[in-house]
């Protein structure tokens, strides 16, 4: 930039000096031409004077001739000549010229005097001739002097004219040079400017492109002047940007670590617009807890993870959060396999870049709930145990007596068939009460499992045959149940009580049969889960399924939907499986029906944590 200003200043100065020089030259030439014109005027005056003197001389010569001018005419010519000489004094002359003019004037005075004598004297012809000769002499001298002056002036004029022509020529050349050099100079300057600016601009452009592409290590070097200052500015900016970016990345890493290593599920959920409820971000714990990958979760809505009951509550929770409330609620979430598990949700809304999101922290409270349930069940068991023991003492013996008595009575031959039918019905009901009593006692005070090495496939086989036999006498529809087995032949033996497992599987299969009044396929599947070191059993029926509203109640004691059910089958099964260190759960089948899932540890000292 400084260079450009300097060059521009030099060019402007040169043009200014050239202009001043030109004006001065034109002024000088003009005055020179004025002078030349003046000299020409003087020359004309002198010529005129010379002509006047020559006329007078001619008048004098012609005096003796017949066509001589009159004396008056001669006097007139002399007077005109005198006037012409006097006119010369009107101009400014040098001292030398003025001296010469004065000399000329004196001599002309003498000439006039000599003329008047020659023209007016009355004398002899000889004397007149002498006077005329004298006048001629002076006249000739005047003519000679004037001629000399005219020659000198002509020479001087020629010199001056030549001088002026030279100056004009010089000025013309200078003007041509100026006109021709001006554009060349400007083009040269433009070239220097473009050349000087092009490279730094290219370097700066390249640097900004690299910065834009994220290359914050790029530094600009080798520039000078203002470009160097600009480069320093850009380099410093890139440096501080990099530092800022590093700080942001570090902070991002810290928060990500916090986010990723949290034991609770953390979700960031869209809270407004078309994508409301869409999961924007989820941590690894959320993925693990729900059985999806983080990427899969990000394609889902948070409500996809809710149980139907929780999904029904979601809109009101979201509303409360958007009004600024931080909510703490308990709900059930559903994992990939459709299994529900309880979560404690701590959530609130926040704004980020003029868009609102929900931050949700979900804690799996299965264990806490289980502990609560265990406590509750222990309480129920204690009560049931007390009840059962009381009943056993108070009811069992009288009931047995009643049963025997009625059985005896029913065999009396005098009884009508109708009365006998009533007594048989009473005996059946008493048997049902006895079964309930037995189950109650079993539930309240279950026998300790006798662990032995057990083949789960063999136990299931035996139970399946029993069920088949059972359904052979059952109604028509039940007989249409097709029990299918998909057993893992490499299933390891496990330490378990085969009798208790039999009880559990029997219970599940009979429930399945109950759920399929119209018959259908019933699949029993086993496989070895190497990761959990457990044997997995799945019993899938194609029955009416379990209503989602009662899904979490079916394992509770005394919960039944059957008119003659005890509601203790699943409660006892759950208890027995848990006594084996295993887990039992249920899921709705997509195509209808329910699947009961059991996980049993291969070794008793181990526990199964997932279903
Ligand atoms: P009970 O069979 O005496 O009712 P259970 O504890 O065995 O007691 O079962 C509790 C309830 O669970 C049943 O009443 C029934 O509503 C439900 N249930 C159990 N198994 C199934 C099944 N396979 N399909 C549908 N509902 C079932």
């Amino acid at each position: 930039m400084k260079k450009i200003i300097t060059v521009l200043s030099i060019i402007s100065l040169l043009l200014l000096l050239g202009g001043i020089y030109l004006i001065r030259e034109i002024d000088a030439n003009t005055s020179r031409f004025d002078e030349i014109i003046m000299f020409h005027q003087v020359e004309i005056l002198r010529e005129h004077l010379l002509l006047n003197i020559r006329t007078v001389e001619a008048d004098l010569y012609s005096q003796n001739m017949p066509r001589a001018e009159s004396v008056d005419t001669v006097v007139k010519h002399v007077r005109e000549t005198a006037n012409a000489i006097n006119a010369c004094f009107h101009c400014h002359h040098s001292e030398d010229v003025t001296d010469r003019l004065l000399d000329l004037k004196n001599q002309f005075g003498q000439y006039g005097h000599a003329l008047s004598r020659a023209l007016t004297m009355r004398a002899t012809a000889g004397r007149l001739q002498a006077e005329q000769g004298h006048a001629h002499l002076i006249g000739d001298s005047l003519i000679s002097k004037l001629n000399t002056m005219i020659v000198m002036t002509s020479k001087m004029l020629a010199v001056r004219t030549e001088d002026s022509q030279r100056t004009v020529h010089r000025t013309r050349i200078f003007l041509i040079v100026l006109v021709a050099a001006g554009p060349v100079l400007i083009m040269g300057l433009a070239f220097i400017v473009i050349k000087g600016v092009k490279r730094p601009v290219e370097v700066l452009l390249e640097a900004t492109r690299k910065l834009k592409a994220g290359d914050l290590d790029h530094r600009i070097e080798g520039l000078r002047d203002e470009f160097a200052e600009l480069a320093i500015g850009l380099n410093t900016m890139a440096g501080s940007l990099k530092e800022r970016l590093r700080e942001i990345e570090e902070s991002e890493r810290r928060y990500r670590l916090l986010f990723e290593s949290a034991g609770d599920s953390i979700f960031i959920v869209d809270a407004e617009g078309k994508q409301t409820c869409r999961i924007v971000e989820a941590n690894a714990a959320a993925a693990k807890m729900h059985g999806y990958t983080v990427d899969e979760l990000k394609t889902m809505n948070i409500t996809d993870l809710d149980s139907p009951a929780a999904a029904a509550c979601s809109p009101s929770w979201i509303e409360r959060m958007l009004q600024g409330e931080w909510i703490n609620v308990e709900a059930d979430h559903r994992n990939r396999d459709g299994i529900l598990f309880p979560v404690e949700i701590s959530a609130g809304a926040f704004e980020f870049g003029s868009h609102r999101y929900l931050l949700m922290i979900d804690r799996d409270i299965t264990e806490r709930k289980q502990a609560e349930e265990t406590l509750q069940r222990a309480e129920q068991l204690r009560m049931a145990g007390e009840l059962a023991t009381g009943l056993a003492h108070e009811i069992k013996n009288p009931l047995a007596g009643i049963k025997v008595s009625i059985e005896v009575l029913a065999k009396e031959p005098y009884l009508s068939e109708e009365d006998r039918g009533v007594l048989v019905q009473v005996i059946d009901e008493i048997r049902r009460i006895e079964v309930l009593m037995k189950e109650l006692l079993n539930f309240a005070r279950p026998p300790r499992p006798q662990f032995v090495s057990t083949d789960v496939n063999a136990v299931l086989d035996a139970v399946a045959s029993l069920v088949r036999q059972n359904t052979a006498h059952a109604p028509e529809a039940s007989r249409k149940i097709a029990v299918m087995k998909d057993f893992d032949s490499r299933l390891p033996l496990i330490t378990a009580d085969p009798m208790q497992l039999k009880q559990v599987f029997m219970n599940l299969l009979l429930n399945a049969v109950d759920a399929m009044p119209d018959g259908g396929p019933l699949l029993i599947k086993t496989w070895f889960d190497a990761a959990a070191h457990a044997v997995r059993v799945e019993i899938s029926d194609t029955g009416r399924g379990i209503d989602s509203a009662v899904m979490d109640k079916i394992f509770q004691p005394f919960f039944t939907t059957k008119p003659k059910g005890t509601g203790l089958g699943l409660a006892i099964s759950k208890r027995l499986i848990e006594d084996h260190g295993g887990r039992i759960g249920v899921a709705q089948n997509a195509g209808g029906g329910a699947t009961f899932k059991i996980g049993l540890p291969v070794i008793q000292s181990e526990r199964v944590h997932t279903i």
Side-chain angles (χ1 to χ4, degrees), residues 507-540:
N507 202 7
L508 296 181
L509 287 179
L510 288 177
N511 273 347
V513 170
D514 284 346
M516 296 193 292
D518 302 328
L522 171 60
L523 176 69
I524 308 171
K525 186 178 172 189
T526 61
W527 80 98
F528 175 57
D529 180 354
H533 202 230
V535 164
R536 304 268 180 199
V537 178
E538 274 184 17
I539 297 172
S540 307

Side-chain angles (χ1 to χ4, degrees), residues 426-500:
V426 172
I427 293 164
D428 274 355
E429 290 303 314
I430 291 170
R431 280 206 191 106
R432 234 170 55 77
I433 294 170
E434 278 179 338
V435 170
L436 177 66
M437 294 292 297
K438 212 173 119 202
E439 278 194 354
L440 207 59
L441 274 170
N442 193 4
F443 179 69
R445 280 189 266 152
R448 277 191 170 278
Q450 303 299 310
F451 291 117
V452 290
S453 191
T454 309
D455 179 354
V456 174
N457 283 347
V459 175
L460 277 165
D461 242 338
V463 176
S465 319
L466 267 174
V467 170
R468 255 192 234 111
Q469 285 165 21
N470 218 26
T471 53
H473 310 288
E476 188 66 17
S478 300
R479 268 186 270 136
K480 287 191 204 154
I481 289 172
V483 179
M484 297 187 291
K485 291 180 281 187
D486 177 11
F487 289 172
D488 184 349
S489 56
R490 288 171 301 161
L491 207 63
L493 299 177
I494 64 165
T495 36
D497 183 331
M499 290 312 291
Q500 290 192 352

Side-chain angles (χ1 to χ4, degrees), residues 149-181:
M149 279 172 81
I150 286 165
V151 168
M152 270 169 64
T153 312
S154 294
K155 269 187 189 168
M156 215 159 72
L157 256 175
V159 169
R160 295 222 174 179
T161 307
E162 212 176 297
D163 199 24
S164 290
Q165 276 172 343
R166 257 202 314 273
T167 316
V168 167
H169 184 67
R170 207 170 54 229
T171 310
R172 217 173 100 215
I173 286 172
F174 183 77
L175 204 63
I176 289 166
V177 167
L178 205 68
V179 168

Side-chain angles (χ1 to χ4, degrees), residues 178-214:
L178 205 68
V179 168
V184 173
L185 264 174
I186 288 166
M187 275 169 69
L189 173 70
F191 179 73
I192 292 167
V193 168
I194 290 168
K195 200 172 165 241
V197 167
K198 198 174 164 239
R199 198 187 81 83
V201 167
E202 275 172 3
V203 170
L204 288 170
L205 265 177
E206 179 63 19
T208 47
R209 263 185 225 121
K210 288 197 168 168
L211 284 181
K212 200 175 141 200

Side-chain angles (χ1 to χ4, degrees), residues 507-508 511-512 514-515 541 544-546 554 559-562 565-571 594 596:
N507 202 7
L508 296 181
N511 273 347
D514 284 346
D541 62 58
R544 59 173 159 268
I546 301 166
I554 58 169
F559 175 80
T560 181
T561 56
K562 299 173 193 168
T566 61
L568 286 170
L570 288 179
F596 281 85

Side-chain angles (χ1 to χ4, degrees), residues 339 554-555 574 583-587 595-599 611:
I339 295 171
I554 58 169
F555 288 100
K574 186 174 166 70
R583 297 281 293 263
I584 182 168
V586 66
T595 297
F596 281 85
K597 302 177 180 196
I598 293 173
I611 294 172

Side-chain angles (χ1 to χ4, degrees), residues 62-336:
S62 64
Q63 271 307 303
N64 300 325
M65 294 178 195
R67 289 176 65 191
E69 295 284 348
S70 68
V71 173
D72 288 345
T73 308
V74 174
V75 169
K76 187 179 151 232
H77 287 157
V78 168
R79 205 171 287 143
E80 279 171 7
T81 309
N83 285 342
I85 291 173
N86 283 333
C88 292
F89 285 93
H90 292 153
C91 303
H92 291 285
H93 296 293
S94 64
E95 214 172 310
D96 176 39
V97 174
T98 311
D99 285 349
R100 272 202 234 168
L101 283 175
L102 279 173
D103 181 39
L104 204 67
K105 194 181 173 184
N106 284 340
Q107 208 166 353
F108 190 74
Q110 286 169 20
Y111 184 52
H113 193 68
L115 272 177
S116 82
R117 278 168 66 98
L119 291 174
T120 55
M121 230 175 92
R122 303 248 180 262
T124 59
R127 181 74 196 273
L128 274 173
Q129 213 172 354
E131 283 298 329
Q132 281 177 356
H134 180 64
H136 277 308
L137 267 175
I138 298 170
D140 287 346
S141 164
L142 270 172
I143 288 166
S144 156
K145 274 186 183 171
L146 270 171
N147 269 337
T148 311
M149 279 172 81
I150 286 165
V151 168
M152 270 169 64
T153 312
S154 294
K155 269 187 189 168
M156 215 159 72
L157 256 175
V159 169
R160 295 222 174 179
T161 307
E162 212 176 297
D163 199 24
S164 290
Q165 276 172 343
R166 257 202 314 273
T167 316
V168 167
H169 184 67
R170 207 170 54 229
T171 310
R172 217 173 100 215
I173 286 172
F174 183 77
L175 204 63
I176 289 166
V177 167
L178 205 68
V179 168
V184 173
L185 264 174
I186 288 166
M187 275 169 69
L189 173 70
F191 179 73
I192 292 167
V193 168
I194 290 168
K195 200 172 165 241
V197 167
K198 198 174 164 239
R199 198 187 81 83
V201 167
E202 275 172 3
V203 170
L204 288 170
L205 265 177
E206 179 63 19
T208 47
R209 263 185 225 121
K210 288 197 168 168
L211 284 181
K212 200 175 141 200
D215 179 7
L216 297 180
D217 288 322
H218 182 75
R219 293 286 177 275
I220 308 163
E221 274 157 13
L223 295 187
R224 287 186 304 177
D225 306 329
E226 286 90 343
F227 291 111
E229 283 174 37
L230 203 61
I232 292 168
L234 271 174
N235 287 346
T236 318
M237 193 181 82
S240 50
L241 257 178
K242 196 183 165 192
E243 180 59 23
R244 190 85 195 90
L245 209 69
R246 193 190 58 75
E247 282 171 15
I248 291 170
E249 274 171 4
E250 214 162 80
S251 150
E252 222 278 326
R253 257 203 306 278
R254 269 201 302 273
Y255 283 110
R256 186 139 291 275
L257 192 74
L258 210 71
F259 182 72
E260 288 303 341
S261 57
D264 295 337
S265 295
I266 303 177
F267 292 101
I268 294 171
V269 176
D270 210 326
E272 56 188 6
K274 281 186 191 159
Q275 305 265 41
T276 303
C277 289
R278 171 60 60 96
I279 297 170
V280 177
E281 195 60 81
N283 67 350
K288 196 174 163 208
M289 203 179 277
H290 295 84
Y292 294 96
T293 64
V294 170
D295 287 339
E296 282 172 335
L297 284 175
K298 285 201 225 168
T299 63
M300 297 166 68
N301 282 350
I302 193 72
T303 43
D304 296 339
L305 303 173
D306 284 340
S307 69
C313 294
S314 268
S316 73
W317 292 340
I318 293 173
E319 189 59 43
R320 277 165 59 194
M321 284 188 266
L322 290 178
Q323 278 168 9
E325 193 183 333
W326 186 267
I327 62 160
N328 286 296
V329 291
E330 281 184 13
D332 279 340
H333 266 194
R334 186 200 299 271
N335 71 11
R336 190 186 201 115

